[in-house]
Amino acid sequence: KYLPASGSPGILAVSFTRRAVANLRRAMPEDMKANCMTIHAALEYEPVYYTIIDPVTGEERNTMRFEPTRNSIRPLPSSIRTCIIDESSMVSLELYKELSNALPSNCQYIFLGDIQQLPPVFGSAILGYKMLELPTTELVQVYRQALESPIIRLAHRILSGKPIPSSEYPEWKFPGKLTIHP
């Protein structure tokens, strides 16, 4: 359950994955670590059970799906003034809508992410829409991973649009890490 740490600022820092949340926590001061969580944890998703009629057999069967318990009727605390959404390229429009419905209407959002990263499992990413709507700042230098990483080098080469001729394939061979097979 989301409860802001006593005396902490009204900031909620969320992400789609636990790994990204762990990165957020490492970067936060001690009094903010409890305010970092997955979006699903913030929305307090819980299982909801339904009885449905199987359209093929006509038989009743039980099913379950996870649904948020935090929403406009049961909102998150009104003390939340800012919501940081990390890895927002993975957050769908639908999940963002659920989050914004549960947060105070005057909440400020900060979207962090890389539009070249993984998209949401379902739906369109909120990040692309917000990049068209809001002012953006772009980091052009890689900080988290070493540029010497063959995967990062290849990704930047692909993004540059410069083809890799077959004569360069041997230069891109890093045993156990990366090999280009024609």
Side-chain angles (χ1 to χ4, degrees):
K1 311 284 185 214
Y2 174 74
L3 294 173
S6 178
S8 74
I11 299 171
L12 177 62
V14 296
S15 186
F16 188 79
T17 67
R18 288 183 307 218
R19 181 168 290 207
V21 170
N23 289 335
L24 283 170
R25 280 193 185 117
R26 276 195 293 280
M28 292 288 182
E30 199 59 42
D31 66 341
M32 280 293 302
K33 291 184 187 301
N35 294 21
C36 301
M37 63 192 64
T38 65
I39 297 170
H40 294 87
L43 292 175
E44 297 177 9
Y45 266 70
E46 291 182 357
V48 177
Y49 297 90
Y50 296 92
T51 301
I52 61 169
I53 306 292
D54 187 303
V56 176
T57 65
E59 294 178 10
E60 280 189 5
R61 66 181 172 100
N62 294 322
T63 186
M64 182 272 297
R65 67 176 169 247
F66 285 90
E67 296 180 0
T69 62
R70 292 293 190 156
N71 51 42
S72 58
I73 296 166
R74 186 174 172 261
L76 288 162
S78 60
S79 60
I80 300 172
R81 297 287 182 225
T82 302
C83 179
I84 301 166
I85 304 175
D86 192 18
E87 300 288 358
S88 56
S89 67
M90 295 182 72
V91 178
S92 70
L93 294 170
E94 294 79 9
L95 187 57
Y96 168 73
K97 184 176 180 181
E98 288 178 355
L99 181 63
S100 64
N101 284 341
L103 285 166
S105 61
N106 62 346
C107 187
Q108 174 188 15
Y109 293 90
I110 299 172
F111 297 88
L112 304 175
D114 181 346
I115 200 67
Q116 303 296 331
Q117 292 289 335
L118 291 172
V121 176
F122 297 103
S124 299
I126 188 63
L127 181 60
Y129 292 94
K130 292 301 180 181
M131 286 176 66
L132 295 171
E133 179 184 321
L134 300 170
T136 61
T137 300
E138 180 181 4
L139 297 177
V140 294
Q141 181 177 348
V142 177
Y143 288 94
R144 277 202 248 181
Q145 291 107 352
L147 274 175
E148 293 76 38
S149 162
I151 301 294
I152 300 296
R153 279 188 49 224
L154 180 60
H156 282 274
R157 178 68 177 262
I158 291 168
L159 286 173
S160 76
K162 184 178 175 188
I164 302 172
S166 57
S167 62
E168 286 187 28
Y169 287 178
E171 297 171 34
W172 288 93
K173 186 170 184 158
F174 297 88
K177 294 184 180 179
L178 174 72
T179 303
I180 297 176
H181 296 284

